[in-house]
Amino acid sequence: MAAPPVTSEQSATAPRGARRRRLPTRAFVLRLLGAVAAGLTLFASFPPRPLWWLAPLAFVLLGLVVHGRRARAGFGYGVVFGAAFLGPLLWWTGTYVGVAAPLALTALESLFFGVGCAAVAATSRLRGAPVWAAALWVGADALRARLPFGGFPWGKVAFGQPEGVFLPLAAVGGTALLSFAVTLCGFGLAALARTLLVWRRGLGRPRWWGPGLAAVAPVLAGAVAGPLVVSTAPESGTATAAVVQGNVPRLGLDFNAQRRAVLDNHVRRTEELAQAVREGRVRQPDLVIWPENSSDIDPYRNADAWAEIQEAVRQVNAPVSVGAVLVPPTGSLRNTAILWEPRRGPVAEYTKRQLQPFGETLPLRGLMRLVAPEFVDKLQHEFGPGQEAVSFPMGPARVGLATCYEVAFDWAVTDTVRSGAQVLAIPTNNATFGFTDMTYQQLAMSRVRAVEHGRTVLVAATSGVSAVVLPDGSVARSTALFTPDVLVENVPLRTTATLATRLGAVPEWALTALGAAALGWVMVRGVARRRGVAGAPVAVSTGTADDPARN
């Protein structure tokens, strides 16, 4: 005798092992392709491409993919989305070390995208779902910025918005609010698309105002915030800043010779600047910024390096921030910026606090030796972190330092501005990444930081791109890659702390808590429903419940 058909309610309440799941192949493939397309679209929105408006469209696709799915399905689609986004975005990490580095980094970081999308999927049927989704995305970014090994915020949605309508929101709530606005717009548009589909199918009266508000509000907020919170007006006068890009030799030199050649290049460019000042071709600078690793030779231990730097600083007759690798008598190496004055020599130091894992430090050294012994042999000496933010008094300005990798970390830049910085300097060394997008992605971060904190940002790179970024995020001057150059620009000195500077991590934690509350409500409601079902008799119905195998 044939068994009676299993109804939707019976399927939903049957023991897990007794359910019959049938994979909706076509729907699954479409969602999978949608996740890939969303990731690639988000990648295309990032610099050097000026396509910031693609970012909300990426989250439209992602929102459509994960809506109504189970958390585990959302996790899978999120990992696919993360891989499609981060794979091409971070390909530069393998420029000289092979494909293993970008593949491993992408695989690890994509797990965080999976966690975020699992949470978005779980809350996608709640009222106000776009808000919870955007808040949960901020929470996933916050987790990724801290774990593991100190975190890796590269690829945060905010860092793809160095221009466009959303950017002014960085001055209000930092990168957290900026990311929230972009993702809210995208998830809101996705909800609008679903509402339109319901209306077209005649399945009910559409509720436009909620999704519409979620889609439009971030755009309006950014447009209104722009003239209110972004300014380039000097508040404590101006300063003439010089950024030196000495360039690096690429062929024909061994390691030691290249280190000396890099120092020589920056000394030579500085002396050429001094000559141009004497001839009246450029203004006398009040301050000069050299890049990170502009002197990989410790000037405290090498008298010839000391003498060469001192002579360049004397000729230019301005305080110079010199990026140096210091070798203390005991302990770890230090990646340090030295404030070098024409008559007094070195007077202050800033040591990089957020060090790069597997570059300046080597976590899991024993395991890494089993996997990549040659890489471990190259990194015999690790760096030690600094302890506090520092602002250098340089002429009429106080210049705060955030070295290279630190520009990606909210706390590092915020602490630097709070230390009294009227101008931010980002000394960096991107030479080991060749002609890739890495330097443009880092410059975009500097542009976002300029607006976030209302400060001019001086980006000094050994091989480019160096730039002078004004407090509205615009680039006043910049260099080409692997080209020796000097940028001289009169920049505003600003002292007003933006709301983002004053609030610090508060917006990030508040939005994370908001998303976590929505997720917690879904979990509590799910537990209550399961308990209620377990204590009730099985009802036979011909109603239409959701497919329990929502993949």
Side-chain angles (χ1 to χ4, degrees):
M1 182 175 179
V6 179
T7 66
S8 299
E9 282 78 3
Q10 286 175 317
S11 175
T13 58
R16 182 170 298 179
R19 298 181 196 172
R20 291 189 178 186
R21 295 191 178 95
R22 184 174 58 188
L23 182 66
T25 304
R26 183 181 176 186
F28 171 72
V29 171
L30 286 176
R31 291 190 186 103
L32 197 63
L33 292 176
V36 172
L40 293 175
T41 301
L42 186 59
F43 163 69
S45 74
F46 269 64
R49 294 159 295 278
L51 304 177
W52 58 271
W53 46 270
L54 284 177
L57 298 183
F59 287 95
V60 172
L61 290 173
L62 187 62
L64 293 173
V65 166
V66 303
H67 176 75
R69 301 303 98 201
R70 290 185 181 275
R72 61 174 175 268
F75 177 84
Y77 292 126
V79 170
V80 172
F81 167 83
F85 167 52
L86 293 177
L89 187 82
L90 302 177
W91 197 249
W92 49 264
T93 59
T95 303
Y96 295 114
V97 297
V99 299
L103 290 179
L105 183 58
T106 297
L108 175 62
E109 295 298 312
S110 294
L111 297 177
F112 291 94
F113 287 87
V115 170
C117 285
V120 170
T123 58
S124 62
R125 293 186 180 274
L126 294 179
R127 290 183 181 272
V131 176
W132 319 131
L136 286 165
W137 201 267
V138 172
D141 270 350
L143 190 65
R144 194 164 66 88
R146 292 165 175 82
L147 298 172
F149 313 125
F152 187 73
W154 216 281
K156 185 184 291 188
V157 174
F159 295 149
Q161 301 290 310
E163 51 197 32
V165 69
F166 300 105
L167 179 60
L169 295 175
V172 180
T175 61
L177 183 61
L178 181 51
S179 293
F180 178 79
V182 175
T183 52
L184 177 60
C185 180
F187 287 128
L189 287 172
L192 270 177
R194 291 192 302 272
T195 300
L196 177 62
L197 183 62
V198 168
W199 175 69
R200 288 285 300 272
R201 290 179 175 178
L203 298 179
R205 183 180 178 182
R207 298 179 179 180
W208 299 95
W209 70 269
L213 183 62
V216 173
V219 178
L220 294 178
V224 170
L228 296 178
V229 300
V230 178
S231 174
T232 60
E235 297 173 321
S236 295
T238 62
T240 301
V243 174
V244 177
Q245 178 174 300
N247 203 16
V248 298
R250 286 173 286 160
L251 296 173
L253 295 173
D254 62 22
F255 179 71
N256 289 329
Q258 177 157 322
R259 288 194 305 168
R260 184 51 188 257
V262 172
L263 174 58
D264 291 345
N265 285 352
H266 287 86
V267 167
R268 190 176 304 113
R269 297 289 85 75
T270 305
E271 291 175 345
E272 290 173 356
L273 169 63
Q275 181 64 29
V277 170
R278 289 192 292 269
E279 294 174 357
R281 290 185 281 121
V282 297
R283 297 180 60 173
Q284 168 65 46
D286 295 307
L287 59 101
V288 179
I289 307 296
W290 281 14
E292 177 190 32
N293 303 139
S294 48
S295 178
D296 266 0
I297 303 171
D298 186 342
Y300 296 133
R301 285 175 166 258
N302 296 271
D304 55 340
W306 176 292
E308 195 173 11
I309 295 170
Q310 179 63 42
E311 177 60 19
V313 175
R314 185 194 66 78
Q315 286 196 36
V316 80
N317 195 31
V320 179
S321 174
V322 177
V325 173
L326 303 185
V327 186
T330 59
S332 303
L333 303 178
R334 289 191 293 151
N335 187 340
T336 299
I338 305 172
L339 175 58
W340 208 296
E341 294 191 349
R343 294 173 182 80
R344 299 170 59 197
V347 296
E349 295 177 352
Y350 168 70
T351 297
K352 186 176 182 179
R353 293 170 293 156
Q354 182 66 49
L355 299 175
Q356 180 185 347
F358 305 101
E360 293 168 311
T361 65
L362 187 56
L364 309 175
R365 180 176 284 270
L367 177 61
M368 287 297 298
R369 180 167 291 282
L370 295 176
V371 177
E374 293 183 0
F375 175 76
V376 174
D377 290 340
K378 290 179 180 178
L379 195 60
Q380 290 293 330
H381 303 288
E382 297 187 38
F383 286 78
Q387 300 301 317
E388 59 182 352
V390 172
S391 290
F392 287 162
M394 302 181 74
R398 291 194 64 86
V399 180
L401 282 294
T403 303
C404 193
Y405 188 54
E406 291 182 319
V407 73
F409 291 83
D410 294 345
W411 65 268
V413 183
T414 299
D415 284 355
T416 298
V417 176
R418 288 175 174 174
S419 72
Q422 299 167 309
V423 174
L424 284 170
I426 312 294
T428 182
N429 177 17
N430 301 332
T432 54
F433 301 111
F435 289 88
T436 66
D437 288 353
M438 183 272 180
T439 189
Y440 300 104
Q441 294 169 10
Q442 192 177 53
L443 175 60
M445 296 180 195
S446 296
R447 295 177 64 185
V448 172
R449 297 304 185 193
V451 175
E452 180 181 6
H453 298 290
R455 299 292 188 269
T456 295
V457 178
L458 306 174
V459 182
T462 51
S463 57
V465 172
S466 299
V468 177
V469 181
L470 297 179
D472 62 355
S474 63
V475 178
R477 295 172 63 86
S478 63
T479 68
L481 281 168
F482 292 96
T483 303
D485 207 344
V486 177
L487 306 176
V488 180
E489 186 74 18
N490 199 46
V491 301
L493 304 180
R494 294 182 55 81
T495 55
T496 297
T498 65
L499 183 59
T501 304
R502 294 195 293 269
L503 291 175
V506 171
E508 181 182 57
W509 288 118
L511 289 169
T512 299
L514 183 67
L519 183 61
W521 168 247
V522 169
M523 295 172 67
V524 168
R525 193 173 65 174
V527 170
R529 182 185 297 114
R530 285 193 295 272
R531 287 179 176 175
V533 168
V538 176
V540 177
S541 170
T542 57
T544 55
D546 288 326
D547 177 9
R550 296 194 303 269
N551 30 68

